[in-house]
Amino acid sequence: MKTVYIAISADILHHGHINLIKEASKNGKLIVGVLKDEAIATYKRLPVLDYESRCLIIKNIVGVDEVVPQKTLDYTDNLRKYKPDYVFHGDDWQEGIQSKIRQNVINTLKEWGGELIEIPYTKDVSIDKLNNIVKNVGSVSESRRSKLKTLLSLKPIVRTMEAHNGLSALVVENAKVSKDEKINSFDAIWVSSLTDSTAKGKPDIELVDMTSRMNTINEIMEVSTKPIILDGDTGGLIEHFVFNIKTIERMGVSAIIIEDKMGLKKNSLFGTEVEQTQDSIEHFCEKISAGKKALRTDDFMIIARIESLILKQGMDDAIKRAKAYIDAGADGIMIHSREKSPNEIFEFCEKYQEFGSHIPLVVVPTSFNQVYEDEFAKRGVSIVIYANHLIRSAYPAMMDTANLILEKERCLEADEKCLSIKKILTLIPDQ
Ligand code: SPV
Ligand code: MG
């Protein structure tokens, strides 16, 4: 008896899948690899149904003989384990993002003379349309809020990119790159105070008030589904913080990061070049506890950001504060540094491992930008935030175009740097 293998996420099932199962099962004993949540989370929205439910559904479909877990998008491990004679798949993955995964299947099957059989993709089903419906369900406040905690439990590191308006949020939502055996995308959105302020032509000194920040969050939420981490600056007065945090939680934001500074806040990347005052441990702990008490759900996280390294107060101070903030109820710690070398961050990570238990650690590698995500993950970091890269790349591009038109006194040459009119008109779909 021959064996046949197919892999499926089984979160949305349609007649195309049933057709694939039917065709595959005609050729022998059918093993179905159901993708684990971790595998789906690496390239798609989080599944709506949990892994066990998805398996149960597949097990009960006529033609399926065995259901096994597939832990990665890549088939290789499971293929070597089950050595099927055939792998079946639709013919829609020959080009584009999944083509490398397809090539790996072909190469692996060759090891024992197995064969990939591709059947015509079912044309009358729009998986994009179905996905959009599910995505929109996932974007309501309740389910969006809880996504960050879910991702933290599934992924070694949550990859987060800044957005400062609807358009940049669409970039974070849709950017996808196929790399080796994986499909890389961003997991979460950082609503940065620096880029939100810069986009409005204002300095990053808590001048853009909470009402305006909430407008930005709303704009981002309308066009995206990924969980949002808000840069809450200092959190302001405790008396104001407890109100604002409830509003933000209700909106469906997943986490707020507040920094232990007082008075007129300036951006951390100025370091000690400008006057900045660190809050006392006692007062900042009081702010964290008051915030925790105000919350209505277990999903929302308050992450405490330590500015000791930025303000040259030393490692011992940073560690002391991390312990105190965790004791005060912080759901996460962000350690910041503006050194080019990652050494002080790595030293903090090492010391943090000794007491931080499972409280997620966050880093923002704007200065120590040479470190790969894997390296952070190995050192116990749970969230990496690319805090300002979309606006920093957009500004020089806009300046170049503006200067080119000034230089040429017409816009023909600038067109080469621009998206075509056709593309900009269709970039944002009608619905
Ligand atoms: C921000 O993005 O606004 C931040 C991170 O707070 S940093 O600019 O590095 O201070
Ligand atoms: Mg900020």
Side-chain angles (χ1 to χ4, degrees), residues 207-255:
L207 175 64
V208 177
D209 68 6
M210 204 33 103
T211 311
S212 173
R213 305 289 312 279
M214 284 172 189
N215 279 337
T216 305
I217 297 170
N218 256 327
E219 206 178 291
I220 290 170
M221 283 188 150
E222 273 190 39
V223 298
S224 64
T225 61
K226 301 195 174 189
I228 292 176
I229 304 174
L230 173 65
D231 176 356
D233 288 320
T234 65
L237 294 172
I238 294 179
E239 292 83 345
H240 296 177
F241 182 57
V242 291
F243 278 91
N244 284 333
I245 203 168
K246 274 194 282 199
T247 315
I248 291 159
E249 180 190 35
R250 193 173 59 242
M251 286 171 83
V253 170
S254 303

Short mmCIF file of all heavy atoms in Angstrom, two decimals, residues 207-255:
data_model
loop_
_atom_site.label_atom_id
_atom_site.label_comp_id
_atom_site.label_asym_id
_atom_site.label_seq_id
_atom_site.Cartn_x
_atom_site.Cartn_y
_atom_site.Cartn_z
N LEU A 207 4.11 66.22 23.72
CA LEU A 207 3.32 67.37 23.28
C LEU A 207 2.08 66.88 22.53
O LEU A 207 0.99 67.45 22.68
CB LEU A 207 4.19 68.24 22.36
CG LEU A 207 3.54 69.42 21.68
CD1 LEU A 207 3.08 70.46 22.72
CD2 LEU A 207 4.53 70.08 20.71
N VAL A 208 2.25 65.81 21.74
CA VAL A 208 1.09 65.20 21.07
C VAL A 208 0.30 64.49 22.18
O VAL A 208 0.79 63.53 22.78
CB VAL A 208 1.54 64.21 19.97
CG1 VAL A 208 0.35 63.51 19.34
CG2 VAL A 208 2.37 64.93 18.92
N ASP A 209 -0.87 64.99 22.49
CA ASP A 209 -1.56 64.50 23.69
C ASP A 209 -2.28 63.17 23.44
O ASP A 209 -2.36 62.68 22.32
CB ASP A 209 -2.51 65.57 24.25
CG ASP A 209 -3.69 65.82 23.32
OD1 ASP A 209 -3.83 65.10 22.31
OD2 ASP A 209 -4.48 66.73 23.62
N MET A 210 -2.79 62.60 24.54
CA MET A 210 -3.37 61.26 24.49
C MET A 210 -4.56 61.19 23.52
O MET A 210 -4.74 60.18 22.83
CB MET A 210 -3.78 60.84 25.91
CG MET A 210 -3.86 59.37 26.16
SD MET A 210 -2.71 58.30 25.29
CE MET A 210 -1.54 57.91 26.54
N THR A 211 -5.33 62.26 23.43
CA THR A 211 -6.48 62.25 22.50
C THR A 211 -5.99 62.08 21.07
O THR A 211 -6.54 61.29 20.29
CB THR A 211 -7.28 63.57 22.62
OG1 THR A 211 -7.51 63.81 24.00
CG2 THR A 211 -8.58 63.51 21.87
N SER A 212 -4.91 62.80 20.75
CA SER A 212 -4.36 62.70 19.41
C SER A 212 -3.73 61.32 19.18
O SER A 212 -3.89 60.72 18.11
CB SER A 212 -3.32 63.80 19.23
OG SER A 212 -2.68 63.64 18.02
N ARG A 213 -3.05 60.80 20.21
CA ARG A 213 -2.45 59.46 20.09
C ARG A 213 -3.55 58.42 19.83
O ARG A 213 -3.38 57.49 19.05
CB ARG A 213 -1.67 59.07 21.37
CG ARG A 213 -0.57 60.04 21.82
CD ARG A 213 0.65 60.05 20.93
NE ARG A 213 1.18 58.75 20.58
CZ ARG A 213 1.99 58.00 21.36
NH1 ARG A 213 2.37 58.45 22.53
NH2 ARG A 213 2.43 56.84 20.96
N MET A 214 -4.69 58.62 20.51
CA MET A 214 -5.80 57.66 20.33
C MET A 214 -6.37 57.73 18.92
O MET A 214 -6.79 56.73 18.35
CB MET A 214 -6.90 57.91 21.37
CG MET A 214 -6.51 57.39 22.74
SD MET A 214 -7.69 57.90 23.96
CE MET A 214 -6.85 57.41 25.47
N ASN A 215 -6.37 58.93 18.34
CA ASN A 215 -6.79 59.05 16.93
C ASN A 215 -5.87 58.25 16.03
O ASN A 215 -6.32 57.56 15.11
CB ASN A 215 -6.79 60.52 16.49
CG ASN A 215 -8.05 61.22 16.94
OD1 ASN A 215 -9.07 60.59 17.21
ND2 ASN A 215 -7.98 62.53 17.07
N THR A 216 -4.57 58.34 16.29
CA THR A 216 -3.61 57.57 15.49
C THR A 216 -3.88 56.07 15.66
O THR A 216 -3.91 55.31 14.69
CB THR A 216 -2.16 57.89 15.91
OG1 THR A 216 -1.96 59.29 15.84
CG2 THR A 216 -1.15 57.16 15.05
N ILE A 217 -4.09 55.65 16.91
CA ILE A 217 -4.35 54.22 17.15
C ILE A 217 -5.59 53.77 16.37
O ILE A 217 -5.60 52.73 15.73
CB ILE A 217 -4.54 53.94 18.66
CG1 ILE A 217 -3.26 54.28 19.43
CG2 ILE A 217 -4.95 52.50 18.91
CD1 ILE A 217 -3.43 54.27 20.95
N ASN A 218 -6.63 54.60 16.41
CA ASN A 218 -7.86 54.26 15.70
C ASN A 218 -7.62 54.11 14.21
O ASN A 218 -8.13 53.17 13.58
CB ASN A 218 -8.91 55.36 15.91
CG ASN A 218 -9.95 54.91 16.91
OD1 ASN A 218 -10.28 53.73 16.97
ND2 ASN A 218 -10.45 55.84 17.70
N GLU A 219 -6.85 55.04 13.66
CA GLU A 219 -6.54 55.01 12.24
C GLU A 219 -5.82 53.69 11.89
O GLU A 219 -6.12 53.04 10.90
CB GLU A 219 -5.61 56.19 11.95
CG GLU A 219 -5.63 56.74 10.57
CD GLU A 219 -4.69 57.94 10.47
OE1 GLU A 219 -4.99 59.00 11.07
OE2 GLU A 219 -3.66 57.82 9.82
N ILE A 220 -4.88 53.32 12.74
CA ILE A 220 -4.11 52.09 12.53
C ILE A 220 -5.02 50.87 12.66
O ILE A 220 -4.98 49.94 11.86
CB ILE A 220 -2.93 52.04 13.53
CG1 ILE A 220 -1.90 53.12 13.15
CG2 ILE A 220 -2.30 50.66 13.60
CD1 ILE A 220 -0.81 53.34 14.18
N MET A 221 -5.88 50.92 13.69
CA MET A 221 -6.75 49.76 13.94
C MET A 221 -7.72 49.50 12.80
O MET A 221 -8.05 48.36 12.49
CB MET A 221 -7.56 50.00 15.21
CG MET A 221 -6.74 49.79 16.44
SD MET A 221 -7.78 49.84 17.88
CE MET A 221 -6.85 48.73 18.92
N GLU A 222 -8.15 50.58 12.17
CA GLU A 222 -9.14 50.41 11.09
C GLU A 222 -8.63 49.60 9.92
O GLU A 222 -9.39 48.99 9.20
CB GLU A 222 -9.59 51.79 10.59
CG GLU A 222 -10.74 52.33 11.41
CD GLU A 222 -11.35 53.55 10.78
OE1 GLU A 222 -11.47 53.61 9.55
OE2 GLU A 222 -11.70 54.46 11.55
N VAL A 223 -7.32 49.64 9.70
CA VAL A 223 -6.79 48.98 8.49
C VAL A 223 -5.91 47.78 8.80
O VAL A 223 -5.26 47.23 7.92
CB VAL A 223 -5.99 49.98 7.62
CG1 VAL A 223 -6.88 51.11 7.14
CG2 VAL A 223 -4.79 50.53 8.39
N SER A 224 -5.84 47.38 10.07
CA SER A 224 -4.92 46.28 10.41
C SER A 224 -5.56 45.35 11.43
O SER A 224 -6.61 45.66 12.00
CB SER A 224 -3.62 46.85 10.98
OG SER A 224 -3.90 47.50 12.19
N THR A 225 -4.91 44.20 11.63
CA THR A 225 -5.46 43.21 12.58
C THR A 225 -4.43 42.78 13.61
O THR A 225 -4.74 42.01 14.51
CB THR A 225 -5.91 41.95 11.81
OG1 THR A 225 -4.77 41.39 11.16
CG2 THR A 225 -6.98 42.26 10.79
N LYS A 226 -3.18 43.23 13.46
CA LYS A 226 -2.13 42.73 14.36
C LYS A 226 -2.21 43.43 15.72
O LYS A 226 -2.70 44.56 15.81
CB LYS A 226 -0.76 42.97 13.71
CG LYS A 226 -0.71 42.25 12.38
CD LYS A 226 0.64 42.09 11.78
CE LYS A 226 0.43 41.21 10.54
NZ LYS A 226 1.60 40.75 9.89
N PRO A 227 -1.73 42.75 16.76
CA PRO A 227 -1.80 43.36 18.09
C PRO A 227 -0.96 44.63 18.18
O PRO A 227 0.08 44.74 17.54
CB PRO A 227 -1.27 42.27 19.01
CG PRO A 227 -0.51 41.34 18.15
CD PRO A 227 -1.12 41.42 16.79
N ILE A 228 -1.42 45.56 19.00
CA ILE A 228 -0.77 46.88 19.10
C ILE A 228 -0.11 47.05 20.46
O ILE A 228 -0.71 46.76 21.51
CB ILE A 228 -1.82 47.98 18.87
CG1 ILE A 228 -2.29 47.94 17.41
CG2 ILE A 228 -1.27 49.37 19.23
CD1 ILE A 228 -3.38 48.91 17.07
N ILE A 229 1.15 47.50 20.42
CA ILE A 229 1.86 47.88 21.65
C ILE A 229 2.01 49.39 21.60
O ILE A 229 2.57 49.94 20.65
CB ILE A 229 3.26 47.21 21.72
CG1 ILE A 229 3.13 45.69 21.59
CG2 ILE A 229 3.97 47.59 23.01
CD1 ILE A 229 4.48 44.95 21.50
N LEU A 230 1.48 50.06 22.61
CA LEU A 230 1.50 51.52 22.61
C LEU A 230 2.68 52.04 23.42
O LEU A 230 2.92 51.61 24.56
CB LEU A 230 0.19 52.06 23.21
CG LEU A 230 0.14 53.58 23.42
CD1 LEU A 230 0.18 54.34 22.09
CD2 LEU A 230 -1.10 53.98 24.20
N ASP A 231 3.40 52.99 22.83
CA ASP A 231 4.44 53.72 23.56
C ASP A 231 3.71 54.77 24.39
O ASP A 231 3.23 55.78 23.86
CB ASP A 231 5.38 54.37 22.52
CG ASP A 231 6.44 55.24 23.15
OD1 ASP A 231 6.42 55.41 24.39
OD2 ASP A 231 7.29 55.75 22.40
N GLY A 232 3.61 54.54 25.68
CA GLY A 232 2.84 55.42 26.56
C GLY A 232 3.69 56.52 27.17
O GLY A 232 3.24 57.16 28.13
N ASP A 233 4.91 56.74 26.66
CA ASP A 233 5.83 57.74 27.24
C ASP A 233 5.94 57.50 28.75
O ASP A 233 6.12 56.36 29.16
CB ASP A 233 5.35 59.17 26.92
CG ASP A 233 5.55 59.52 25.45
OD1 ASP A 233 6.60 59.15 24.90
OD2 ASP A 233 4.67 60.16 24.87
N THR A 234 5.78 58.56 29.57
CA THR A 234 5.94 58.36 31.03
C THR A 234 4.64 57.85 31.66
O THR A 234 4.60 57.52 32.84
CB THR A 234 6.29 59.69 31.72
OG1 THR A 234 5.18 60.57 31.57
CG2 THR A 234 7.54 60.31 31.14
N GLY A 235 3.55 57.84 30.87
CA GLY A 235 2.25 57.47 31.44
C GLY A 235 1.58 58.69 32.08
O GLY A 235 0.42 58.64 32.45
N GLY A 236 2.33 59.78 32.22
CA GLY A 236 1.77 61.02 32.79
C GLY A 236 1.50 60.90 34.28
O GLY A 236 2.04 60.02 34.97
N LEU A 237 0.64 61.76 34.77
CA LEU A 237 0.28 61.73 36.19
C LEU A 237 -0.45 60.43 36.51
O LEU A 237 -1.25 59.97 35.68
CB LEU A 237 -0.67 62.89 36.52
CG LEU A 237 -0.11 64.31 36.41
CD1 LEU A 237 -1.24 65.34 36.58
CD2 LEU A 237 0.98 64.52 37.46
N ILE A 238 -0.22 59.89 37.68
CA ILE A 238 -0.91 58.63 38.04
C ILE A 238 -2.42 58.81 37.93
O ILE A 238 -3.14 57.94 37.42
CB ILE A 238 -0.51 58.18 39.47
CG1 ILE A 238 0.97 57.81 39.50
CG2 ILE A 238 -1.37 57.00 39.93
CD1 ILE A 238 1.50 57.37 40.85
N GLU A 239 -2.89 59.98 38.35
CA GLU A 239 -4.34 60.26 38.34
C GLU A 239 -4.90 60.23 36.91
O GLU A 239 -6.07 59.90 36.70
CB GLU A 239 -4.62 61.64 38.96
CG GLU A 239 -4.35 61.73 40.46
CD GLU A 239 -2.88 62.00 40.80
OE1 GLU A 239 -2.00 61.84 39.92
OE2 GLU A 239 -2.59 62.34 41.96
N HIS A 240 -4.08 60.59 35.94
CA HIS A 240 -4.53 60.54 34.54
C HIS A 240 -4.31 59.15 33.95
O HIS A 240 -5.13 58.66 33.17
CB HIS A 240 -3.77 61.57 33.68
CG HIS A 240 -4.03 62.99 34.08
ND1 HIS A 240 -3.40 64.06 33.49
CD2 HIS A 240 -4.86 63.52 35.02
CE1 HIS A 240 -3.83 65.19 34.03
NE2 HIS A 240 -4.71 64.88 34.98
N PHE A 241 -3.22 58.54 34.35
CA PHE A 241 -2.84 57.23 33.80
C PHE A 241 -3.95 56.20 34.00
O PHE A 241 -4.30 55.46 33.08
CB PHE A 241 -1.53 56.78 34.46
CG PHE A 241 -1.00 55.46 33.96
CD1 PHE A 241 -0.73 55.27 32.61
CD2 PHE A 241 -0.75 54.41 34.83
CE1 PHE A 241 -0.23 54.06 32.13
CE2 PHE A 241 -0.25 53.19 34.37
CZ PHE A 241 0.01 53.02 33.03
N VAL A 242 -4.53 56.18 35.20
CA VAL A 242 -5.54 55.16 35.49
C VAL A 242 -6.79 55.31 34.61
O VAL A 242 -7.50 54.33 34.35
CB VAL A 242 -5.94 55.15 37.00
CG1 VAL A 242 -4.79 54.64 37.84
CG2 VAL A 242 -6.40 56.51 37.48
N PHE A 243 -7.04 56.50 34.14
CA PHE A 243 -8.17 56.69 33.22
C PHE A 243 -7.78 56.31 31.79
O PHE A 243 -8.48 55.57 31.12
CB PHE A 243 -8.66 58.16 33.24
CG PHE A 243 -9.57 58.43 34.39
CD1 PHE A 243 -9.07 58.87 35.60
CD2 PHE A 243 -10.94 58.20 34.27
CE1 PHE A 243 -9.91 59.09 36.69
CE2 PHE A 243 -11.79 58.42 35.35
CZ PHE A 243 -11.28 58.86 36.56
N ASN A 244 -6.63 56.83 31.38
CA ASN A 244 -6.21 56.59 29.99
C ASN A 244 -6.02 55.10 29.71
O ASN A 244 -6.36 54.61 28.64
CB ASN A 244 -4.89 57.33 29.72
CG ASN A 244 -5.14 58.81 29.54
OD1 ASN A 244 -6.22 59.22 29.13
ND2 ASN A 244 -4.14 59.63 29.86
N ILE A 245 -5.51 54.39 30.69
CA ILE A 245 -5.20 52.98 30.47
C ILE A 245 -6.48 52.16 30.24
O ILE A 245 -6.50 51.23 29.44
CB ILE A 245 -4.35 52.45 31.65
CG1 ILE A 245 -3.57 51.25 31.21
CG2 ILE A 245 -5.18 52.14 32.85
CD1 ILE A 245 -2.52 50.86 32.19
N LYS A 246 -7.55 52.58 30.91
CA LYS A 246 -8.82 51.87 30.70
C LYS A 246 -9.35 52.09 29.29
O LYS A 246 -9.88 51.18 28.66
CB LYS A 246 -9.86 52.37 31.73
CG LYS A 246 -9.75 51.62 33.04
CD LYS A 246 -10.95 51.86 33.92
CE LYS A 246 -10.86 53.21 34.58
NZ LYS A 246 -11.70 53.39 35.75
N THR A 247 -9.20 53.32 28.82
CA THR A 247 -9.67 53.63 27.46
C THR A 247 -8.87 52.82 26.44
O THR A 247 -9.43 52.22 25.51
CB THR A 247 -9.49 55.14 27.16
OG1 THR A 247 -9.94 55.87 28.28
CG2 THR A 247 -10.23 55.54 25.91
N ILE A 248 -7.58 52.80 26.65
CA ILE A 248 -6.69 52.10 25.69
C ILE A 248 -6.99 50.60 25.71
O ILE A 248 -7.03 49.94 24.67
CB ILE A 248 -5.22 52.39 26.06
CG1 ILE A 248 -4.92 53.86 25.78
CG2 ILE A 248 -4.27 51.51 25.29
CD1 ILE A 248 -3.73 54.37 26.54
N GLU A 249 -7.21 50.07 26.89
CA GLU A 249 -7.55 48.64 27.00
C GLU A 249 -8.86 48.36 26.27
O GLU A 249 -8.97 47.41 25.48
CB GLU A 249 -7.69 48.26 28.48
CG GLU A 249 -8.04 46.79 28.71
CD GLU A 249 -8.40 46.50 30.15
OE1 GLU A 249 -9.02 47.37 30.81
OE2 GLU A 249 -8.07 45.40 30.62
N ARG A 250 -9.85 49.23 26.46
CA ARG A 250 -11.16 49.03 25.83
C ARG A 250 -11.06 49.11 24.30
O ARG A 250 -11.78 48.41 23.59
CB ARG A 250 -12.14 50.09 26.36
CG ARG A 250 -13.60 49.79 26.02
CD ARG A 250 -14.55 50.77 26.70
NE ARG A 250 -14.28 52.14 26.32
CZ ARG A 250 -13.92 53.11 27.16
NH1 ARG A 250 -13.79 52.85 28.44
NH2 ARG A 250 -13.69 54.34 26.74
N MET A 251 -10.14 49.95 23.82
CA MET A 251 -9.98 50.08 22.37
C MET A 251 -9.47 48.80 21.71
O MET A 251 -9.61 48.61 20.51
CB MET A 251 -8.96 51.20 22.06
CG MET A 251 -9.47 52.59 22.28
SD MET A 251 -8.11 53.77 22.15
CE MET A 251 -8.02 54.00 20.39
N GLY A 252 -8.82 47.94 22.51
CA GLY A 252 -8.29 46.69 21.93
C GLY A 252 -6.78 46.69 21.77
O GLY A 252 -6.22 45.80 21.14
N VAL A 253 -6.12 47.70 22.36
CA VAL A 253 -4.65 47.70 22.39
C VAL A 253 -4.22 46.55 23.33
O VAL A 253 -4.92 46.23 24.29
CB VAL A 253 -4.13 49.07 22.90
CG1 VAL A 253 -2.64 49.04 23.19
CG2 VAL A 253 -4.47 50.16 21.89
N SER A 254 -3.07 45.93 23.03
CA SER A 254 -2.65 44.76 23.82
C SER A 254 -1.71 45.11 24.97
O SER A 254 -1.64 44.38 25.96
CB SER A 254 -1.94 43.74 22.94
OG SER A 254 -2.76 43.36 21.88
N ALA A 255 -0.93 46.17 24.80
CA ALA A 255 0.06 46.49 25.85
C ALA A 255 0.42 47.97 25.78
O ALA A 255 0.35 48.60 24.72
CB ALA A 255 1.32 45.66 25.65
#
